[in-house]
Amino acid sequence: MEKKDLNLLTEQELLLEKKKLKNSKIMHATLIGFLGGILLFGVVAWILSPDRKMGFLIPMIIPVVMIYRMMKDPKQNKDLEEVLKERGLN
């Protein structure tokens, strides 16, 4: 949603968007933690293995890329947070 669209929404619709934003933040935090655990487990398993082949670390790139993508998207949510702050709906 663009900022223009957010300004046209009613307070009830903004509160509904706020609830979706909160659920989205919780889901992203959970997924980042899960992927971080996978990454940590993979690195520790690689360190403890007797034959440290570098090919094993290649699949560890996938969680890193996914974590990066999840962490770079919060700009979309900032517009909603600004409109909520303007209307005093925090």
Side-chain angles (χ1 to χ4, degrees):
M1 247 184 245
E2 296 179 8
K3 189 171 184 178
K4 295 176 187 175
D5 294 335
L6 292 173
N7 287 329
L8 298 175
L9 294 177
T10 64
E11 290 185 4
Q12 293 294 332
E13 292 170 333
L14 282 174
L15 291 174
L16 183 62
E17 291 295 321
K18 180 182 175 183
K19 186 176 180 180
K20 289 179 186 177
L21 176 64
K22 182 180 178 183
N23 290 340
S24 173
K25 285 182 177 182
I26 292 171
M27 185 59 128
H28 279 133
T30 303
L31 285 173
I32 288 171
F34 179 71
L35 292 170
I38 290 173
L39 186 63
L40 183 67
F41 182 80
V43 170
V44 169
W46 177 75
I47 289 171
L48 296 176
S49 70
D51 51 333
R52 294 185 184 146
K53 296 181 181 178
M54 293 303 290
F56 180 75
L57 291 178
I58 292 173
M60 295 295 113
I61 294 173
I62 296 169
V64 170
V65 170
M66 291 178 74
I67 289 171
Y68 174 75
R69 282 189 175 179
M70 280 188 245
M71 293 183 76
K72 86 171 192 178
D73 282 342
K75 182 186 177 291
Q76 297 170 349
N77 299 331
K78 287 183 181 179
D79 293 337
L80 178 60
E81 290 174 355
E82 288 176 8
V83 172
L84 288 169
K85 190 177 280 187
E86 286 175 4
R87 294 193 186 180
L89 297 174
N90 287 347

